[in-house]
Amino acid sequence: ELRVVHQSGVQFDAELPEFRTQGGVHIHTDRLTVTSPVLMWVKALDLLLDKMKRAGLDFSRVRALSGSGQQHGSVFWRRGASETLKHLDPDQDLHQLLQVCVFSVSDSPVWMDSSSTQQCEDLQAAAGGALRLAEITGSRACERFTGNQIAKLRQTRAEEFQDTERISLVSSFAASLFLGGYAAIDYSDGSGMNLLDIRTRNWSEICLQATAPHLDQLLGAPLPSTSVLGPVSSYFVHRYGFSESCSVVAFTGDNPASLAGMRLQPGDVAVSLGTSDTVFLWLQQPRPALEGHVFCNPVEQQEYMALLCFKNGSLTRERVRNECAGASWELFSAALRDTPLRNHGNIGFYFETMEITPPVIGVHRFDSADCEVSSLSPQVEVRAVVEGQFLSRRLHAERLGYSIIPGTRVLATGGASSNKEILQVLSDVFNAPVYTIDLSDSTCLGSAYRALHGLVAESGASFVDVVKKAPEPRLVATPHLKAKEVRRPLYDDALLASEAEPCSRSLRQELHETCPHNHRNTFCSPAETNTSVSGETLR
């Protein structure tokens, strides 16, 4: 049986106050540039391993390790840094050894940065447009994506760029510390750069040339996410007691690691119901689009995953609860129980703040006659917001190539996953059973699972087989018998309404006829955060 035997964490702001971060980052005066100190991450690793050692964890029993890093962030190694990594003194902390002349850029761009709009426009022009870039790299140009950050640095800080020997993602940077040398970028995290061709799993020549000269040499060749990179550095053997035979498995991004932690299988979808809602998909035949992101799958080399972020999540549901159910979740749930599937033909789309998927704002309600109305009755409004949200999740998932297959499961996490009635609507809209999973940190758990899988992946063992003894998710809802026949007309209505979300009722038909996808020249927005570093081990 696989179970967690130890957990430790470090909070950047509270435990490393000398770096003066808020939420683990520095927001610059332009309010667009957002960075994190590289040495803060290094010192956090020192603290984390010291905590684990003081807690009595026997590092000599660790056969393999892996990890994850916040996606899109980048680390720029100064010329000569590789030699420093090879000769680390185990009597000193890592942050002491790496604080001088190791990083050409001391503050790393992170996922919250939105200062590279011009570079996004340049990259899309070079690739032949936003959709063509998405077809190559899995995403349209996103300001936080690493390739655009590299292009900006080359243009605005040429001296530091010229002094750079290697560029890592946050994940491969952390792996490099454990390896004692530069670690390869894995396919899955590499998919979040606007640089990797997700079908050939090599750097796209078009994107490289549009970003920086000789960039392939600075990035190194990408490798499968299941790769064993080598044994752990002698620094960790002598300082912490790791075995010399302990393997370092390629690190990946936090979102791919979460997919591993949730143990998604082909056909599964995971829905995180939080302040913002996030949908994780396992895809076999992806169709990259202008919204959402397609990555190489972190646990199955020939397949894919997709990520969809929806900013209007639990806060929108709570607002409707407050206005229509007396601020009571019990009354909110009762309204869902007392209203039928399809809500008598009433539907709503609630984008109270600028949405990510799709990039629109506004609240639109439609009655059974397909007329836009200013309000609905309280009970009807409650179901309208929940059905409308979940229809949007499924609509955009299918646009990326997702389809329901026999055995499909919906895995629900996040705060709203404790509400049985909300999960029943989720089950009916997806026409699939819903399970809940008890995860405190799916990224760390996924990294532990991936380390275990990395030991046997070359022998052909599947990830599903390796983690089959992990705790199983709990079945909480199954679709009503009429869910399939009722969902279809509701879904057709949602398709028309979704394609006309930003428009008034008078423009809906015109828009549907002339611009069925309502594409806008808007770049992607972030929907995740990372303010700490943590470690987890399995037995």
Side-chain angles (χ1 to χ4, degrees):
E1 181 183 355
L2 293 177
R3 59 186 178 89
V4 175
V5 297
H6 181 85
Q7 271 185 291
S8 293
V10 174
Q11 294 293 324
F12 295 149
D13 296 358
E15 297 180 68
L16 296 166
E18 63 270 29
F19 293 98
R20 300 175 181 269
T21 58
Q22 291 185 331
V25 301
H26 292 142
I27 300 176
H28 294 225
T29 54
D30 63 1
R31 311 301 296 176
L32 299 174
T33 305
V34 185
T35 60
S36 288
V38 184
L39 278 177
M40 179 183 71
W41 294 336
V42 177
K43 193 169 184 179
L45 181 59
D46 286 331
L47 291 179
L48 179 66
L49 293 172
D50 288 344
K51 281 186 179 186
M52 298 172 81
K53 186 175 183 179
R54 288 196 304 271
L57 183 67
D58 184 358
F59 288 107
S60 69
R61 299 182 61 194
V62 178
R63 294 178 55 205
L65 64 89
S66 189
S68 68
Q70 53 180 284
Q71 281 200 274
H72 318 305
S74 48
V75 174
F76 296 77
W77 300 88
R78 191 187 300 272
R79 295 183 185 277
S82 60
E83 289 301 310
T84 302
L85 286 174
K86 292 177 184 176
H87 304 100
L88 297 173
D89 179 0
D91 292 328
Q92 297 186 61
D93 290 328
L94 274 176
H95 76 275
Q96 295 173 323
L97 295 166
L98 301 180
Q99 64 185 343
V100 179
C101 298
V102 173
F103 305 111
S104 53
V105 177
S106 59
D107 283 319
S108 289
V110 295
W111 67 267
M112 295 171 69
D113 190 285
S114 57
S115 65
S116 61
T117 300
Q118 182 59 55
Q119 288 74 29
C120 288
E121 293 174 355
D122 294 343
L123 180 61
Q124 289 186 165
L131 185 57
R132 178 56 186 148
L133 181 64
E135 290 169 348
I136 297 170
T137 70
S139 302
R140 67 180 303 164
C142 294
E143 290 153 326
R144 67 189 185 275
F145 274 35
T146 324
N148 306 304
Q149 294 294 332
I150 292 171
K152 178 195 166 191
L153 187 86
R154 180 180 72 87
Q155 295 167 16
T156 61
R157 301 169 66 179
E159 188 173 337
E160 288 102 318
F161 188 82
Q162 288 297 324
D163 198 27
T164 297
E165 177 177 87
R166 182 74 170 231
I167 301 173
S168 294
L169 295 178
V170 178
S171 59
S172 61
F173 153 73
S176 299
L177 298 180
F178 280 104
L179 197 61
Y182 294 142
I185 293 172
D186 78 293
Y187 291 161
S188 195
D189 204 11
S191 307
M193 301 174 71
N194 278 147
L195 292 176
L196 187 80
D197 186 321
I198 60 171
R199 302 187 190 278
T200 67
R201 275 124 172 125
N202 288 315
W203 302 122
S204 162
E205 196 61 39
I206 293 173
C207 297
L208 290 179
Q209 291 179 6
T211 303
H214 314 298
L215 186 54
D216 57 336
Q217 298 174 29
L218 294 176
L219 296 173
L223 288 179
S225 303
T226 56
S227 299
V228 174
L229 303 178
V232 71
S233 164
S234 62
Y235 172 88
F236 295 94
V237 173
H238 295 298
R239 187 171 179 85
Y240 294 103
F242 280 89
S243 167
E244 292 182 350
S245 62
C246 175
S247 297
V248 178
V249 176
F251 285 31
T252 193
D254 51 0
N255 290 307
S258 285
L259 179 137
M262 292 184 285
R263 295 188 295 133
L264 260 65
Q265 301 173 16
D268 284 351
V269 55
V271 182
S272 177
L273 301 170
T275 302
S276 59
D277 289 349
T278 305
V279 176
F280 294 86
L281 308 167
W282 181 302
L283 298 179
Q284 294 173 317
Q285 298 295 329
R287 295 195 300 267
L290 293 182
E291 280 104 33
H293 310 288
V294 175
F295 303 142
C296 297
N297 193 301
V299 297
E300 179 54 58
Q301 185 175 333
Q302 298 305 315
E303 300 197 2
Y304 299 86
M305 67 169 285
L307 178 69
L308 289 160
C309 301
F310 301 88
K311 188 180 294 184
N312 293 272
S314 67
L315 295 182
T316 300
R317 292 186 288 270
E318 288 174 13
R319 198 270 303 164
V320 173
R321 177 206 64 182
N322 294 342
E323 294 182 3
C324 300
S328 166
W329 283 120
E330 290 184 5
L331 294 177
F332 188 94
S333 297
L336 291 176
R337 288 194 300 270
D338 294 343
T339 47
L341 295 174
R342 206 188 176 202
N343 207 15
H344 298 298
N346 299 286
I347 194 169
F349 297 94
Y350 298 78
F351 306 113
E352 296 175 342
T353 59
M354 176 58 74
E355 186 51 83
I356 298 169
T357 312
V360 296
I361 190 169
V363 175
H364 301 275
R365 304 172 183 86
F366 302 94
D367 63 16
S368 58
D370 199 29
C371 295
E372 185 160 8
V373 295
S374 60
S375 64
L376 299 168
S377 68
Q379 281 193 327
V380 170
E381 182 109 61
V382 167
R383 178 168 282 275
V385 68
V386 179
E387 279 191 348
Q389 286 183 330
F390 292 158
L391 282 165
S392 177
R393 308 318 181 237
R394 178 164 181 173
L395 167 68
H396 288 284
E398 292 189 348
R399 282 178 170 173
L400 288 176
Y402 175 75
S403 60
I404 299 293
I405 63 174
T408 284
R409 304 174 304 168
V410 179
L411 304 177
T413 66
S417 65
S418 61
N419 187 304
K420 182 178 178 181
E421 285 72 26
I422 289 178
L423 297 186
Q424 184 61 59
V425 178
L426 179 64
S427 179
D428 291 334
V429 169
F430 277 81
N431 194 34
V434 173
Y435 297 78
T436 57
I437 41 182
D438 183 18
L439 292 177
S440 58
D441 193 337
S442 59
T443 58
C444 263
L445 185 59
S447 298
Y449 288 157
R450 290 183 56 259
L452 180 62
H453 183 220
L455 290 175
V456 296
E458 284 195 359
S459 67
S462 72
F463 179 79
V464 172
D465 286 340
V466 167
V467 299
K468 63 185 177 182
K469 292 186 178 180
E472 288 295 326
R474 182 171 61 92
L475 177 65
V476 293
T478 55
H480 287 109
L481 294 177
K482 294 186 177 181
K484 185 174 183 179
E485 64 185 74
V486 173
R487 190 198 69 83
R488 190 69 250 170
L490 179 60
Y491 191 54
D492 291 340
D493 290 347
L495 177 62
L496 176 61
S498 177
E499 288 170 343
E501 278 150 1
C503 302
S504 67
R505 174 71 180 97
S506 62
L507 293 177
R508 289 177 67 214
Q509 187 60 36
E510 179 183 346
L511 177 63
H512 181 61
E513 293 172 352
T514 59
C515 182
H517 299 293
N518 187 37
H519 294 153
R520 287 187 167 196
N521 186 24
T522 305
F523 295 114
C524 304
S525 303
E528 67 271 17
T529 189
N530 189 324
T531 59
S532 64
V533 61
S534 55
E536 204 160 78
T537 55
L538 288 175
R539 178 169 293 158

